[in-house]
Amino acid sequence: MAAKWFKPSAWVLEPDQSTLAPTSRWSNKDMDPVPVHLRTWTTWNYVAYWISDAANLPAWELASSMLAIGLNWRQALAAIAVGHTIIAVVMVLNGTVGARLHVGFPILNRSSFGFWFSYFSVISRVILALFWFGIQTYSGSECVDQMIQAIWPSAVRIPNHLSSSAGITTRGMMCYFIYWVIQFPIMLISPQRIRYFFLFKAMIVPAAWLSILIWAMVKVPPSISLANQHASVSGSALVWAWFSSMNSALGNYATLAVNIPDFTRYAKNEQAQYIQAILIPTLFTLTGFVGIAVTSVGQVLYGQTLWDPTTLIAHWDRAPKFFAALSYLIATLGTNISANSLSAANDMMVLFPKYINIRRGQILCAILGGWALAPWEILASAPGFLNFMSGYTIFLGPFAGIMVADYWLVHKCKVDVPAMYDHNGRYRYWHGLNWRVAVALLFSVFPSFPGLISSINPAVDVGKSIHVFDIAWLYGFFTAGSLHWSLSTLFPARETFMESAVMEISESENDTDSASVNSKREV
């Protein structure tokens, strides 16, 4: 009996009746446009989502790390505010497409990249999501470590039975496994219901962080911790340091700016997600201020710049250490699921729709990203690789620019949703590749490569070309978007232009006439 589970046919998914693709090879019910009864996200759900997502450790550390390159706290907050305002506009533009068409990023990309070339952006996103899932899981395990130490201080004396080359200790592996086990069942909650977890996180984590901020300001007033901070760079060095910091703020959510349709596709209507334009810059700037204020207090109290809050709370008494670490753990859980687990699942599903749905994709992400990639080894022995992964966002700015330009400027919102599921449909372009996008990527990505190489190996002197890398997201977004729009205007792909948009049949119509599953209606 067990032998049948090793046959590929045992894992084939049952195609849903509403599948738009010619065969189940190209789609499954999780890839299809979201039916009306599953469009459950309201404006308040997006409010809870972004309050939840803004409360994450990278956002906490982002502003603090800017101080290390010479900015003062006001300049750092300005960089965060401007960067997140720009990313919020892009988030709403791409999010509106998902909310309007009810399909995810991997499917939408076929209308701009071409059916086959879209797999390049999908595979890029899978790789990023898997690696960052593992790295975020390791960060969560550090929270578990602090919680265990708060309950059982003797845990620090657990003997290490792993070799020094393992990149992790026995205690560290135990904490990693505990966090992975905590995280796994939450990952299996459906995208429609995960909004309740974000609501829970939005109530718990900001309250905990506000308490930490109050403690910091009472312990060391801002007149002492912040007033004496001054920029340590000036002139052109200050200008480029500020732009580099703003680029870091943009890169913090560069991935979600691309695949935000994976979440907005569940919106009740497209207006529900407009609130993101206000929430994102406001919430992330506030989180950045908390990170700066608490870190600055740590400098006064402990004589160290403790950018990582888990190292800061290591100096605290047992009870506050436990509850602070718990808030960091919950924060990491929500961010890892939204930014990495669900994104990886949506992308892997498109690669193998006959066998992988969202839930199976999340399980694969948990195994591959959580264990097969051994993130503790990456963090312990490959700082250059981490710089490469961060620098890989040089692709994400162009991806976002192409998506915005294609839907809003090139096709003027008139797209054919069913054709996105057909490899021989109108978005086939030239053998499945839109050469206009390929040219746009060529000129928007490669100028940033010298700076990327220098970030991996600082010994490589690339001269002033490194400044392109300092503004890689902005450069890539505007260069790719404008080139794609210009080339599409000069050399239009006429077969993709229509008088009006074509959508799938609504669920109510589909219920009354299941035989017309693959028919289309003009809207």
Side-chain angles (χ1 to χ4, degrees):
M1 293 290 293
K4 72 176 184 179
W5 295 104
F6 293 95
K7 296 179 180 179
S9 58
W11 296 92
V12 173
L13 295 167
E14 289 295 328
D16 189 80
Q17 271 194 333
S18 65
T19 297
L20 295 176
T23 70
S24 61
R25 177 185 176 187
W26 303 113
S27 185
N28 58 50
K29 66 179 182 179
D30 283 347
M31 282 175 58
D32 284 349
V34 177
V36 174
H37 72 281
L38 294 179
R39 299 171 193 169
T40 56
W41 284 52
T42 65
T43 296
W44 289 110
N45 292 129
Y46 286 103
V47 170
Y49 173 84
W50 281 111
I51 292 176
S52 165
D53 231 35
N56 68 79
L57 295 186
W60 174 300
E61 298 167 353
L62 179 65
S64 301
S65 65
M66 291 177 184
L67 304 183
I69 64 172
L71 302 185
N72 63 35
W73 68 273
R74 293 182 182 86
Q75 293 163 343
L77 284 183
I80 289 175
V82 173
H84 283 93
T85 298
I86 294 171
I87 211 73
V89 173
V90 177
M91 203 84 73
V92 170
L93 287 173
N94 282 332
T96 299
V97 185
R100 185 176 291 177
L101 306 182
H102 308 291
V103 294
F105 151 73
I107 303 299
L108 290 174
N109 242 21
R110 292 171 176 174
S111 63
S112 54
F113 280 63
F115 192 94
W116 294 115
F117 192 44
S118 69
Y119 283 80
F120 169 69
S121 61
V122 170
I123 292 171
S124 298
R125 182 69 187 97
V126 168
I127 293 171
L128 280 171
L130 289 177
F131 275 106
W132 286 120
F133 175 87
I135 292 167
Q136 286 288 334
T137 301
Y138 185 84
S139 296
S141 73
E142 294 178 315
C143 302
V144 172
D145 189 24
Q146 293 295 333
M147 292 170 67
I148 290 176
Q149 289 183 45
I151 300 173
W152 300 287
S154 60
V156 297
R157 297 192 293 273
I158 293 176
N160 179 36
H161 299 291
L162 300 177
S163 68
S164 58
S165 61
I168 193 171
T169 63
T170 299
R171 188 179 89 228
M173 182 62 76
M174 176 189 71
C175 295
Y176 187 89
F177 178 74
I178 291 173
Y179 181 85
W180 188 90
V181 169
I182 293 171
Q183 180 175 246
F184 188 80
I186 300 175
M187 290 171 51
L188 302 183
I189 301 173
S190 71
Q192 293 82 16
R193 295 183 180 277
I194 194 64
R195 69 189 195 277
Y196 296 120
F197 178 77
F198 294 139
L199 177 61
F200 167 75
K201 179 186 169 185
M203 292 187 294
I204 299 298
V205 178
W209 289 14
L210 179 61
S211 300
I212 295 172
L213 177 63
I214 293 172
W215 163 85
M217 290 189 163
V218 169
K219 199 77 173 177
V220 182
S223 59
I224 298 174
S225 62
L226 295 176
N228 296 323
Q229 288 189 11
H230 302 285
S232 59
V233 292
S234 59
S236 62
L238 174 60
V239 173
W240 284 113
W242 191 87
F243 274 111
S244 177
S245 297
M246 185 184 67
N247 192 69
S248 296
L250 288 164
N252 195 34
Y253 271 82
T255 51
L256 200 55
V258 168
N259 70 285
I260 188 64
D262 292 343
F263 294 92
T264 58
R265 64 189 295 221
Y266 299 104
K268 278 184 175 291
N269 52 63
E270 64 181 80
Q271 292 79 20
Q273 52 89 44
Y274 288 167
I275 193 67
Q276 297 178 115
I278 300 171
L279 285 176
I280 294 172
T282 302
L283 294 174
F284 280 89
T285 303
L286 289 174
T287 301
F289 176 74
V290 172
I292 285 178
V294 176
T295 300
S296 299
V297 168
Q299 289 176 318
V300 176
L301 293 179
Y302 311 120
Q304 303 176 64
T305 303
L306 303 172
W307 312 113
D308 182 351
T310 60
T311 61
L312 176 73
I313 64 176
H315 294 80
W316 292 4
D317 293 333
R318 292 168 63 181
K321 178 195 293 188
F322 176 86
F323 287 108
L326 177 62
S327 75
Y328 299 148
L329 182 146
I330 297 171
T332 306
L333 277 174
T335 302
N336 211 16
I337 291 170
S338 64
N340 299 316
S341 173
L342 279 171
S343 299
N346 275 282
D347 294 339
M348 285 190 283
M349 177 172 64
V350 172
L351 298 177
F352 304 101
K354 192 173 182 179
Y355 302 100
I356 300 177
N357 56 16
I358 289 180
R359 178 164 291 181
R360 290 182 182 182
Q362 288 189 279
I363 293 172
L364 283 173
C365 177
I367 295 171
L368 296 176
W371 295 102
L373 296 180
W376 52 88
E377 292 187 3
I378 296 172
L379 290 168
S381 60
F385 181 76
L386 275 183
N387 287 334
F388 170 76
M389 292 304 296
S390 297
Y392 200 77
T393 56
I394 62 175
F395 288 99
L396 299 177
F399 288 171
I402 289 168
M403 290 173 65
V404 169
D406 188 80
Y407 183 78
W408 295 101
L409 301 178
V410 176
H411 288 108
K412 296 180 173 61
C413 309
K414 300 169 185 176
V415 293
D416 184 346
V417 173
M420 297 178 191
Y421 293 83
D422 187 354
H423 64 292
N424 288 318
R426 71 170 73 245
Y427 298 119
R428 192 167 183 267
Y429 292 99
W430 180 77
H431 298 290
L433 181 150
N434 185 352
W435 65 266
R436 303 157 193 81
V437 167
V439 172
L441 286 175
L442 183 69
F443 284 94
S444 60
V445 170
F446 280 96
S448 297
F449 265 102
L452 174 59
I453 294 170
S454 181
S455 73
I456 297 171
N457 184 3
V460 178
D461 184 10
V462 297
K464 293 187 177 181
S465 62
I466 195 172
H467 293 320
V468 179
F469 185 69
D470 289 336
I471 55 170
W473 193 94
L474 282 175
Y475 173 81
F477 178 86
F478 287 106
T479 302
S482 59
L483 270 176
H484 175 51
W485 174 66
S486 300
L487 291 172
S488 297
T489 302
L490 294 172
F491 309 99
R494 300 188 186 280
E495 70 278 9
T496 67
F497 295 156
M498 299 175 295
E499 293 294 325
S500 58
V502 178
M503 302 285 286
E504 84 284 0
I505 286 183
S506 67
E507 187 179 62
S508 58
E509 291 171 322
N510 204 33
D511 288 340
T512 59
D513 187 8
S514 60
S516 63
V517 165
N518 292 317
S519 63
K520 305 171 184 177
R521 65 177 172 86
E522 296 288 329
V523 295

